[in-house]
Amino acid sequence: MKKLLDGYCRGVEWVLVTLLALMVLLVFGNVVLRYAFNSGIAVSEELSRWFFVWLTFLGAAVAVRERAHLGSDMLTSRLGPTGKRICLGLGQILMLWATALLLSGSWQQARINWDVEAPVTGASVAIFYAAGIVFAVSTGLMLLGEFWRTVSGRLSESELVMVQESEDLAQIEELQLDRSQTFKKH
């Protein structure tokens, strides 16, 4: 299952790279065309906005997998393993609930807007709301897997805190982990 999720996230990362590159090309190309040639790409603004929404949702799903979301572990870091496991389980239940709400709302919006055409591209506006559906399904499955690992006791104590206090601390911890693995090899 881990390999499947890792492969899925790698695929999503490639989609993110592609969307970002297309977004940059559309926006930059549109700016150049407007200022240099007094013309532009009509669909640039609409597609860029849609790409940005998809980038946000897909990136957030990958961040859930990598446990890269920021948060505060001020309380949980002071608890023992049982307290950490209980807090993590409760947090995962709340995240699953929020994900279910997002899935329900995105699904309803996609259904409502299925026949609504975007003003410039003419594409269904449901594509816009599908980002929430893809995020909720992806994240929901990841959270369910993590919740199962939590309640079955398959998480180590270091995995019982699901957030990073700050980006700087996360990078420092990652560097220390890389160094310790380098020393073990030698």
Side-chain angles (χ1 to χ4, degrees):
M1 184 66 158
K2 182 182 177 343
K3 284 185 178 183
L4 181 68
L5 280 175
D6 289 343
Y8 174 74
C9 285
R10 266 194 307 279
V12 168
E13 288 170 355
W14 279 105
V15 171
L16 291 171
V17 167
T18 304
L19 288 175
L20 185 60
L22 288 171
M23 209 170 101
V24 167
L25 285 172
L26 284 170
V27 172
F28 182 72
N30 207 29
V31 168
V32 169
L33 287 172
R34 284 185 195 259
Y35 286 105
F37 304 104
N38 202 23
S39 69
I41 307 167
V43 298
S44 173
E45 197 173 318
E46 189 171 289
L47 286 179
S48 299
R49 192 174 326 121
W50 285 22
F51 291 169
F52 184 71
V53 168
W54 275 89
L55 274 168
T56 303
F57 278 97
L58 292 175
V62 171
V64 166
R65 173 72 180 144
E66 296 176 356
R67 295 178 168 218
H69 285 282
L70 296 179
S72 178
D73 64 349
M74 185 173 60
L75 171 67
T76 55
S77 64
R78 300 184 195 307
L79 298 174
T82 303
K84 286 180 183 177
R85 189 173 311 283
I86 290 169
C87 285
L88 180 60
L90 289 173
Q92 289 167 331
I93 289 169
L94 290 172
M95 287 187 285
L96 282 165
W97 178 63
T99 301
L101 290 175
L102 183 70
L103 176 62
S104 172
S106 296
W107 182 261
Q108 288 173 8
Q109 285 297 320
R111 285 185 46 218
I112 290 168
N113 290 289
W114 185 261
D115 294 325
V116 177
E117 291 182 1
V120 181
T121 61
S124 172
V125 177
I127 295 169
F128 182 82
Y129 295 104
I133 296 170
V134 171
F135 167 80
V137 169
S138 300
T139 304
L141 291 173
M142 290 178 214
L143 288 170
L144 280 172
E146 286 296 307
F147 182 69
W148 172 251
R149 288 183 65 213
T150 301
V151 298
S152 66
R154 295 183 181 171
L155 293 176
S156 66
E157 188 173 351
S158 65
E159 294 176 302
L160 292 176
V161 178
M162 202 170 170
V163 297
Q164 295 293 329
E165 190 68 35
S166 75
E167 289 182 35
D168 296 334
L169 289 175
Q171 289 175 348
I172 290 170
E173 289 174 8
E174 189 174 311
L175 285 172
Q176 289 174 343
L177 180 63
D178 288 344
R179 285 185 185 156
S180 69
Q181 290 174 352
T182 303
F183 289 126
K184 286 180 183 176
K185 290 179 184 176
H186 293 107

